[in-house]
Amino acid sequence: MELYNLKHPSQKVSFKEAVQLGLGKDRGLFFPSQIPVLDDIEGLLALPFVERSKKVLGAWLASELGQDAVDELVERAFNFDLPLVAVDEQRACLELFHGPTLAFKDFGARFMAQCVNAFVGDTRLTILTATSGDTGAAVADAFYGLEKVNVVVLYPKGKISELQEKMFTTLGKNIHTVAVSSDFDACQDLVKRAFDDPEVRDGLSLNSANSINISRLLAQICYYFEAVAQSKQRHEADPVISVPSGNFGNLTAGLFAKAMGLPVKRFIAATNANDTVPRYLDNGQWQPNPTQATMSNAMDVSEPSNWPRVEAICEKLGWPLSSLVGIRLSEEQTSQALAELHAQGYVSEPHAAIAAKALSLTLVPDEVGIFLGTAHPAKFKDVVDRELTLNLPLPPELEAVASKPILSAELAADFAALKVHLFKILA
Ligand SMILES: *Cc1c(COP(=O)(O)O)cnc(C)c1O
């Protein structure tokens, strides 16, 4: 598989190199030189998830890694269910939160960890990543205990739920966590600066593990195929898929799936008040506002890092950007959406509820819609209990960490301080 740097198209790398580098020169994103197109989609959709995923990922990776290696990566990474649960006549939720950290990020993080582990050789790697919520837990869990990989996770102090925080800050061993006194964009900026600093980047063999790593995006393509496979067993129509979006990795993967031949009627990019993309789709002006804190905090991103890939796919395939529908929901609408779903017998959480509501606002009769359930409702217990007057039980995964102490260091959003800290804990 060949990829090129979207900022410097002459920089070309293999999949292995792209996984290890994370980002290209000048922080450019890697993008595939070619998007494989699958034939016999119907036959593929008839296969079970793991078998189908081997073929979907094999189309990208078998030429470089061999199909056997791809099969092994898939088997190790994808070992949990993803049911499509009907909510009403038109809408169903693809529940992507049955993995070890109860969020869809387990798919990308587990596949990436398997890739890194398979490619690492003799160096000792440092995974440095910023999280606005669930990435941290998924990455920490996926890499926990691997001997040649250290993980450092930066997160905005006080801006994620306590349970979310406990899921990745209580592990110890090779998992190091830093609470930064600022917002997610500041954390992301610190990560970018670390990658730009040769002393840090080379001295600690940095690798990034957030949604910019191409291995994560390829893994995420697989569940779009599963969504359509299950939907087609109930409805003939090609589904509309609504994606709760923050950094837009999830939507990028969906567009890759469609580019490979998956029948999706259209995609909806659903956001909270951090609505840079919906405004851009409306008026063509890219004008990020300061990041606002919302109930759907994993989507509190005003400068989504994967957006250049979304544009690159559309450009390559000749899809006008106007084929994407951008929907923004206020906090009040998010509350309403949660309550409406609950009234229909479905307990959701703020991220998925936004995507569900975006379907209600835009589906026409005879269309069917899928919204992506990106986190288990219990991960957002505070909000869900408050909004729905419930007392959700904690699933066992959360119960186990709730009583453990947080092991994070605390730092200001200051690159010099971070640099000192990194060398202290890792050198
Ligand atoms: C990360 C996350 C999102 C946003 O996904 P992106 O790929 O960053 O757009 C949505 N919901 C939840 C629960 C998340 O953790």
Side-chain angles (χ1 to χ4, degrees), residues 288-358:
N289 291 331
T291 309
Q292 293 182 48
T294 72
M295 277 187 270
S296 48
N297 61 40
M299 289 155 45
D300 291 350
V301 181
S302 55
E303 300 192 51
S305 50
N306 273 296
W307 188 254
R309 283 177 169 143
V310 171
E311 294 215 4
I313 297 173
C314 291
E315 198 182 298
K316 248 191 191 185
L317 277 287
W319 298 339
L321 271 185
S322 58
S323 61
L324 291 174
V325 183
I327 303 270
R328 163 216 201 262
L329 260 71
S330 66
E331 292 293 90
E332 201 184 326
Q333 287 173 305
T334 307
S335 297
Q336 271 172 15
L338 277 169
E340 284 163 14
L341 287 168
H342 188 217
Q344 289 177 302
Y346 190 74
V347 175
S348 190
E349 52 72 42
H351 306 78
I354 285 177
K357 183 75 178 177

Side-chain angles (χ1 to χ4, degrees), residues 150-222:
N150 281 308
V151 176
V152 180
V153 185
L154 309 186
Y155 64 100
K157 183 171 179 226
K159 299 222 165 66
I160 65 177
S161 80
E162 192 184 335
L163 273 171
Q164 253 183 336
E165 185 174 9
K166 290 223 165 175
M167 285 203 84
F168 65 97
T169 59
T170 58
L171 290 165
K173 274 199 192 167
N174 59 330
I175 311 299
H176 306 274
T177 52
V178 180
V180 177
S181 314
S182 189
D183 59 19
F184 172 65
D185 288 326
C187 295
Q188 216 170 14
D189 196 56
L190 285 171
V191 169
K192 285 177 181 169
R193 290 192 57 183
F195 276 89
D196 280 348
D197 183 318
E199 233 181 301
V200 178
R201 185 185 61 220
D202 303 336
L204 301 175
S205 298
L206 282 197
N207 181 303
S208 124
N210 63 16
S211 58
I212 59 172
N213 195 290
I214 194 70
S215 61
R216 302 172 56 92
L217 297 185
L218 294 191
Q220 289 176 252
I221 293 170
C222 298

Side-chain angles (χ1 to χ4, degrees), residues 11 74 144 162 185 225 250 294 327 368:
Q11 185 188 9
V74 168
Y144 180 59
E162 192 184 335
D185 288 326
F225 277 83
N250 209 352
T294 72
I327 303 270
V368 292

Side-chain angles (χ1 to χ4, degrees), residues 227-228 231-232 237-241 263-266 368-370:
V228 175
S231 179
K232 289 277 180 183
D238 297 346
V240 175
I241 301 186
V264 176
K265 186 156 186 196
R266 67 178 174 278
V368 292
I370 295 171

